[in-house]
Amino acid sequence: MKILGIESSCDETAAAVVEDGRKVLSNVIASSLEEHKLYGGVVPEIASRRHAESISGVVREALENADCTMKDIDAVAVTYAPGLIGALLVGVNFAKGLALASDKPLVPVHHIRGHIASNYISGDVEPPFLCLIVSGGHSHIVAVRSYTDFEIIGRTRDDAAGEALDKAGRTMGLEYPGGVSIDRLSPQGDENAFKFPKPKVSSSEYDFSFSGLKTAVINTIHNAQQKNIEINTADLAASFQKAVVDCLVTNLEKAACDRGFNKIVIAGGVSANSRLRSESKRLCAKHKWQLFLPELKYCGDNAAMIASQGYYEFIGGTIAGEDLNAYATMPIDKNYKTD
Ligand code: KG4
Ligand code: ZN
């Protein structure tokens, strides 16, 4: 079964064809990132306009690269939530038109479920497993019971890990996205140069809080500026990255031990982070747990992961009605219309 996936939740316009949820036949991404860098973050209206300009070409290229026409496609899967609403609407409406014109079923896909599926196209992992999802907008620990059954075990109470890295990076004067810049700079710094407080979250033992850490970095920079003291940015980047990854891995370890999981999956844009990758390998080696990480090319937003998850949603019976809408927020454990 061949699924055409379409993704437009943030600044990547993407389309891909994936066979049987696992075999990527094509994967095309057009990004407006360079334009957003000028503003230090994604500008929603620019993202929407770039999606509108590039979506037809991106979908055409994805079909051509897969050696397909719409006749060969079994269903169109599209990201409908969560994300920037104007950006999502471009993909959703394009997918609706395409599905109607070609008389194909339309499958709504949750963006974060898609990030988890980036592991299905990278390796041979199957649910159940425990997943740490870390992106620009989400930091979750989720028990993935089946391809379409999710239980949230921990979540961030404030900033997502990627968001905190991006904001801290901006204050350090690094290029957007800060998460990528911090990862690149950290090997040149001393990760023990700055000590940051371990955030305590009382409401749930598996929840995260990154805004205090982020503020601690920003205060360190502002204090140094006021006192005219020069800070080594590489030291600060390495220390902050260590603090963020420590929080992620500590809660992941606790959740896996308490809930009895021995299969661990990492997903989301921050899963590209070299320290998170090495620390999760260390953790899983210590406990003799199986670890699955997405290939680097599938860590960030792409449509192959949407087509993969779309396949599992489709065979599970999820098909969008004609009234499919886009949503800026949507919990990962909520199924389309059935809840
Ligand atoms: O999943 P994603 O592409 O978009 C969302 O769904 O949010 O994640 C983007 C986030 C950004 O915050 C970016 O800084 C972060 O992923 N990111 C990284 C790395 N690559 C991307 N953070 C740390 N290290 C990286 N190598
Ligand atoms: Zn994403």
Side-chain angles (χ1 to χ4, degrees):
M1 190 180 287
K2 289 191 181 99
I3 307 289
L4 169 68
I6 296 177
E7 154 67 35
S8 71
S9 67
C10 192
D11 57 339
E12 269 90 24
T13 318
V17 179
V18 173
E19 196 169 37
D20 297 334
R22 299 276 171 166
K23 189 172 172 205
V24 180
L25 303 183
S26 66
N27 186 34
V28 179
I29 304 175
S31 176
S32 52
L33 175 68
E34 288 305 317
E35 227 174 315
H36 301 293
K37 277 183 182 171
L38 303 171
Y39 304 94
V42 175
V43 181
E45 185 173 337
I46 293 178
S48 304
R49 288 177 182 277
R50 295 300 162 263
H51 288 314
E53 285 166 7
S54 38
I55 196 156
S56 302
V58 165
V59 170
R60 185 180 36 73
E61 203 180 322
L63 289 167
E64 280 172 8
N65 291 358
D67 229 352
C68 285
T69 67
M70 281 308 292
K71 286 200 184 81
D72 306 305
I73 298 296
D74 294 283
V76 178
V78 65
T79 306
Y80 78 116
L84 300 172
I85 194 67
L88 285 166
L89 281 167
V90 177
V92 165
N93 277 308
F94 187 91
K96 277 179 141 179
L98 187 60
L100 182 68
S102 57
D103 198 21
K104 304 287 175 184
L106 180 62
V107 182
V109 176
H110 189 285
H111 179 76
I112 301 300
R113 293 187 184 192
H115 272 298
I116 297 173
S118 66
N119 285 279
Y120 306 147
I121 50 176
S122 299
D124 55 6
V125 62
E126 286 176 31
F129 52 77
L130 187 70
C131 187
L132 171 69
I133 303 153
V134 266
S135 73
H138 294 80
S139 299
H140 277 106
I141 296 175
V142 173
V144 180
R145 308 230 170 271
S146 77
Y147 289 103
T148 53
D149 183 6
F150 305 82
E151 183 200 348
I152 300 171
I153 289 180
R155 71 184 90 211
T156 183
R157 291 279 145 187
D158 37 60
D159 289 356
E163 186 183 359
L165 285 160
D166 291 346
K167 287 178 181 165
R170 186 158 63 190
T171 315
M172 290 177 206
L174 303 176
E175 186 182 67
Y176 178 84
V180 177
S181 299
I182 286 175
D183 192 10
R184 263 194 216 130
L185 188 59
S186 290
Q188 297 163 39
D190 172 5
E191 64 187 29
N192 297 312
F194 294 89
K195 292 268 172 285
F196 294 111
K198 266 219 151 140
K200 286 255 178 306
V201 184
S202 55
S203 45
S204 159
E205 49 190 336
Y206 310 118
D207 280 1
F208 304 108
S209 168
F210 293 109
S211 91
L213 262 181
K214 175 197 69 188
T215 308
V217 172
I218 294 172
N219 288 345
T220 304
I221 296 169
H222 289 165
N223 288 341
Q225 282 167 347
Q226 272 168 9
K227 293 177 188 152
N228 253 335
I229 301 168
E230 205 164 305
I231 282 192
N232 181 320
T233 310
D235 285 352
L236 192 58
S239 305
F240 182 62
Q241 179 175 268
K242 178 176 188 286
V244 170
V245 171
D246 277 358
C247 294
L248 293 170
V249 172
T250 302
N251 287 18
L252 178 64
E253 180 174 27
K254 190 160 181 16
C257 287
D258 292 355
R259 302 293 183 110
F261 281 94
N262 56 15
K263 210 194 285 183
I264 306 295
V265 169
I266 317 282
V270 185
S271 65
N273 183 265
S274 38
R275 187 175 178 96
L276 178 59
R277 292 177 87 92
S278 61
E279 284 302 294
S280 48
K281 279 179 193 158
R282 194 192 50 74
L283 172 74
C284 292
K286 178 176 120 186
H287 289 282
K288 297 196 169 55
W289 294 335
Q290 267 188 298
L291 173 67
F292 296 87
L293 291 159
E295 280 182 57
L296 285 176
K297 64 180 174 190
Y298 299 131
C299 287
D301 291 346
N302 66 84
M305 67 186 197
I306 301 304
S308 171
Q309 182 61 25
Y311 168 78
Y312 292 106
E313 300 285 350
F314 185 50
I315 60 173
T318 300
I319 297 177
E322 288 185 343
D323 60 346
L324 176 67
N325 210 333
Y327 302 90
T329 58
M330 171 79 60
I332 192 171
D333 53 354
K334 187 172 165 61
N335 285 323
Y336 174 76
K337 271 203 178 156
T338 56
D339 290 357

